[in-house]
């Protein structure tokens, strides 16, 4: 199994300001690109938009969950942003303040997909979301996720 | 209450799992128990059939087609999209409770509880190992073929009972379409025979078509069916059909993964993929598989011809092995044709003990034991077989007794490496025993229905019974050596599940 962690502090943007979901997603894609986890930011962003167009990924609890499986992704990755002002992700109960961008390679291997599955399950839990929103810094956010979402 | 569910979404990495978690938590909060099968990119872990059996209702939070939907037949189903389950799981659980209560009320009001359907395993779980997947592909083809085997085989067996073995010489046009007489047993027999024969013509195409379907989904159907039909044309039998299914399926799968311009993408699955895959499969069957097969079959025929006059018991064993090897394929056909042409050559004047008649008796007995042995095996060790195979086993008694060797094909196609050697063992011994007893047969078809035409019938019947028992024992032994791979796949999946919930 790969030793690359799903998320590091470099992939967390606290108190992001974004006018809309595209801008917020773009900011997170740039973080992934800077870390070499996405080879072509524009191509990956297009894949995420295509997925978003099928069905909005906003969900109750102020969550935006843009995601895609894409050939432009080298390592399964997660980038997280908190957006105190909120940005609309199409959820029925209002704008998202916590945004997860999931980047999965087109040919994902089982372990990583299982980790992403575990992450998706955690996101549904309010205690998990609260702990991320209340985290003091980027390193803590990365640490909480890494601790909660691991293979046994 | 207890619920089960299935979740899926287009990408298979987020909503599938969020929906599952949301539903399980909402169910727990409302005091219920729920298990959701996540049919996502990380592979799906099949729900324990026990959980499905106990469930009061089923929730489909699925944006993709639910795999193995027939497992839930007879249960009240709440069908919502994945989005609804993520956004409002509490309402979905409430709907499931309502559906379950409505079902209870309906049954209490005198409605029969819908019986769960014993459905064949017809889909392939994405995370299964190679061996398990091959078995699932084969089982998909076999499960769709079984109705044709049972219907066609029983029709033909009935035609022998009513019209005698000469019913195969009737003509579909003059004896049925033009000359049908409602009071003539010959007409009824001919009708049954020709409908049965038409049904049997579908065996190999359906087998090949649905193997290809399991591999490549709908684009595999046309190449698979056509490849199967061509396997019959080149005389390759059901083994040729298995090959055609895999060839057609993988060609279609390969083509469907081509990167094509957006404008063409829409017509790929319905036009381009079936067109190219069908052509290439046809090419493979006629040009690549056909010629060597014909050479083998010609070679075997002349070799068998050269063996005439040698030790008859050894010849009986050899013919028996050949009969059971491919059941309707080239090797079986050579053995059968060797016996049937000998019968014609000997004519009616020959004595009862003539070698031609003894060869025919050995060939027929050896062609009866494969279905009979498998019927016996399913009767005494049902747990080693799938539900579909056990059902087929019941029909196999009649098919075997009527010398319709095809009754064994579903078993052989599903698990060729274990089943075929077992069948050959029983048939080889049967062929030898018939020769040893010196039984002779003047008819080329008919099974037990032509017993009056068998000289030394007692020896013939003993040989068939011995062969049946040996076949059954051999099948039970080799199948019992290892648990069926289907079980392995579930166990492997459970490890994934613990990873997800840990």
């Amino acid at each position: 199994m790969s030793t690359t962690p799903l998320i590091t502090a470099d992939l967390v943007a606290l108190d992001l300001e974004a006018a809309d979901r595209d801008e917020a997603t773009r900011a997170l894609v740039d973080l992934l690109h800077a870390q070499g986890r996405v080879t072509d930011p524009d191509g990956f962003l297009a894949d995420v938009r295509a997925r978003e167009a099928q069905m909005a990924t906003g969900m109750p609890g102020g969550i935006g969950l843009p995601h895609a499986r894409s050939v432009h992704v080298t390592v399964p990755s997660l980038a997280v942003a908190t957006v105190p002002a909120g940005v609309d992700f199409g959820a029925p109960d209002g704008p998202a303040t916590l945004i997860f961008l999931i980047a999965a390679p087109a040919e994902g291997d089982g372990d990583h997909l299982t980790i992403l599955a575990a992450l998706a399950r955690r996101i549904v839990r309010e205690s998990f979301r609260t702990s991320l929103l209340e985290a003091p810094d980027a390193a803590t956010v990365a640490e909480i996720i890494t601790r909660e979402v691991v293979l046994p | 209450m207890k619920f089960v569910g299935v979740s899926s979404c287009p990408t298979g990495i987020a909503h599938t799992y969020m929906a599952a978690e949301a539903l399980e938590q909402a169910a727990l909060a409302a005091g219920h128990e729920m298990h959701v099968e996540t049919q996502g990119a990380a592979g799906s872990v099949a729900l324990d059939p026990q959980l499905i059996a106990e469930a009061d209702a089923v929730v489909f939070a699925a944006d993709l087609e639910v795999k193995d939907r027939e497992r839930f037949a007879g249960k009240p189903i709440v069908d919502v999209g994945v989005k609804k389950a993520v956004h409002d799981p509490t309402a979905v659980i409430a709907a499931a409770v309502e559906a379950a209560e409505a079902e209870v009320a309906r049954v209490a009001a005198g409605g029969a509880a819908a019986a769960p359907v014993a459905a064949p395993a017809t889909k392939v779980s994405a995370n299964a190992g190679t061996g398990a997947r091959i078995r699932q592909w084969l089982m998909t083809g076999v499960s769709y073929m079984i109705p044709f085997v049972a219907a066609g085989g029983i029709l033909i067996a009935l035609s022998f009972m009513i019209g005698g073995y000469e019913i195969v010489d009737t003509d579909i046009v003059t004896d049925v379409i033009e000359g049908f007489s409602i009071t003539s047993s010959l007409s009824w027999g001919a009708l049954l025979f020709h409908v049965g024969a038409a049904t049997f013509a579908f065996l190999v195409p359906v087998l090949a078509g649905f193997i290809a379907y399991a591999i490549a989904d709908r684009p595999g159907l046309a190449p698979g069916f056509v490849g199967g039909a061509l396997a019959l044309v080149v005389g390759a039998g059901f083994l040729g059909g298995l090959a055609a299914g895999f060839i057609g399926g993988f060609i279609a799968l390969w083509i469907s993964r081509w990167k094509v311009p957006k404008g063409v993408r829409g017509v790929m699955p319905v036009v381009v993929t079936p067109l190219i895959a069908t052509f290439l499969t046809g090419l493979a069957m006629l040009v690549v598989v056909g010629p060597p097969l014909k050479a083998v079959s010609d070679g075997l025929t002349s070799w068998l011809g050269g063996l005439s006059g040698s030790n008859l018991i050894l010849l009986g064993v050899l013919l028996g092995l050949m009969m059971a090897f491919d059941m309707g394929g080239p090797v079986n056909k050579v053995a059968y044709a060797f016996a049937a042409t000998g019968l014609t050559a000997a004519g009616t004047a020959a004595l009862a003990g003539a070698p031609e008649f003894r060869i025919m008796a050995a060939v027929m007995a050896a062609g009866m034991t494969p279905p009979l042995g498998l019927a016996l095996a399913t009767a005494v060790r049902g747990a080693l077989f799938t539900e579909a195979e056990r059902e087929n086993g019941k029909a196999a008694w009649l098919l075997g007794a009527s010398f319709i060797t095809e009754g064994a094909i579903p078993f052989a196609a599903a698990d060729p490496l274990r089943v075929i050697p077992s069948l050959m063992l029983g048939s080889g011994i049967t062929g030898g025993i018939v020769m040893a007893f010196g039984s002779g047969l003047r008819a080329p078809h008919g099974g037990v229905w032509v017993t009056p035409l068998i000289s030394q019938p007692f020896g013939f019947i003993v040989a068939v019974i011995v062969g049946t028992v040996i076949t059954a024992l051999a099948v039970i032994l080799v199948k019992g050596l290892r648990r069926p791979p289907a079980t392995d796949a579930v166990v492997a999946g459970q490890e994934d599940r613990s990873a997800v919930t840990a």
Side-chain angles (χ1 to χ4, degrees), chain B residues 209-244:
Chain B
F210 281 99
I211 287 174
Y213 169 75
I215 294 170
D217 226 327
R218 221 171 299 172
L221 275 176
F225 267 90
V226 173
L230 293 177
L232 292 181
V233 171
V234 299
F238 87 95
L239 290 177
L242 294 183

Side-chain angles (χ1 to χ4, degrees), chain A residues 51 54-60 63 65 67-69 71 90-92 102-104 110 113-114 116-126 148 150-152, chain B residues 9-25 36 38 41-43 63 82-83 86-89 259 495-502:
Chain A
R51 169 61 190 85
Q54 280 183 311
M55 182 177 83
T57 60
M59 48 168 287
I63 302 294
L65 189 69
H67 60 275
R69 300 182 75 177
V71 293
I102 299 179
L113 291 170
T114 306
L116 292 178
L119 170 72
R121 281 180 175 264
R122 287 299 176 284
I123 291 171
V124 177
R125 298 192 185 164
E126 195 180 348
E148 287 273 333
V150 285
L151 284 174
Chain B
C9 64
T11 331
I13 62 176
H15 286 75
T16 301
Y17 303 96
M18 292 196 294
E21 186 73 19
L23 286 174
E24 287 174 4
Q25 294 209 345
V36 180
T38 51
D63 281 9
V82 72
K83 190 172 181 173
V86 173
H87 287 191
D88 200 356
K259 297 248 183 290
E495 287 161 15
D496 289 358
R497 182 187 197 83
S498 61
V500 169
T501 50

Side-chain angles (χ1 to χ4, degrees), chain A:
Chain A
M1 163 184 170
S2 163
T3 52
T4 315
L6 188 66
I7 184 167
T8 63
D10 298 318
L11 296 175
V12 179
L14 293 186
D15 301 331
L16 184 75
E17 285 180 24
D20 57 20
R21 73 175 98 168
D22 223 44
E23 206 177 304
T25 308
R26 175 91 221 182
L28 289 174
V29 170
D30 287 342
L31 291 182
L32 292 171
H33 183 227
Q35 298 299 314
R37 292 171 180 247
V38 167
T39 52
D40 174 359
D42 294 323
F44 178 59
L45 194 60
D47 288 336
V48 174
R49 278 203 200 106
R51 169 61 190 85
E52 194 75 24
Q54 280 183 311
M55 182 177 83
T57 60
M59 48 168 287
I63 302 294
L65 189 69
H67 60 275
R69 300 182 75 177
S70 165
V71 293
H72 307 298
V73 176
T74 56
V75 190
S77 301
L78 173 69
V80 178
T82 57
V83 188
V87 56
D88 179 44
F89 263 88
D93 67 344
T97 52
L98 190 54
I99 298 165
F100 298 86
L101 173 64
I102 299 179
E107 301 291 331
D109 66 88
D111 279 351
H112 282 122
L113 291 170
T114 306
I115 292 175
L116 292 178
L119 170 72
R121 281 180 175 264
R122 287 299 176 284
I123 291 171
V124 177
R125 298 192 185 164
E126 195 180 348
S127 59
F128 178 71
R129 300 194 301 254
T130 311
S131 70
L132 293 181
L133 284 170
E134 289 173 354
D137 52 41
T140 311
V141 169
E143 190 209 327
I144 291 171
I145 293 172
T146 308
R147 189 179 65 228
E148 287 273 333
V149 186
V150 285
L151 284 174

Side-chain angles (χ1 to χ4, degrees), chain B residues 288-344:
Chain B
V288 182
V289 177
L293 212 61
K294 180 152 190 345
V296 166
S297 146
D298 290 351
L300 277 174
T301 305
S302 65
W303 178 63
L304 266 186
L307 287 180
S308 302
S310 58
N311 185 322
L312 277 178
I313 292 179
L314 280 182
L315 184 62
V317 172
L318 178 67
L319 288 169
L321 295 175
M322 292 174 69
M323 286 301 288
F325 174 69
D326 55 0
M327 288 160 283
V331 177
N332 163 288
K333 278 218 183 74
V334 167
Y336 179 76
F338 176 72
T341 50
L343 215 56
T344 318

Side-chain angles (χ1 to χ4, degrees), chain B residues 239-298:
Chain B
L239 290 177
L242 294 183
F246 280 95
I247 293 171
F250 278 106
I251 292 178
L253 186 66
W254 169 62
I255 294 173
S256 63
R257 286 182 176 169
W258 287 357
K259 297 248 183 290
V260 294
K262 238 181 195 151
V264 189
R265 219 173 285 166
V267 295
M268 283 300 285
V270 284
V271 181
V272 181
T273 308
L275 172 69
I276 302 177
T278 302
F279 172 72
L280 291 179
T281 307
L283 180 96
M285 293 310 292
L286 291 180
V287 180
V288 182
V289 177
L293 212 61
K294 180 152 190 345
V296 166
S297 146
D298 290 351

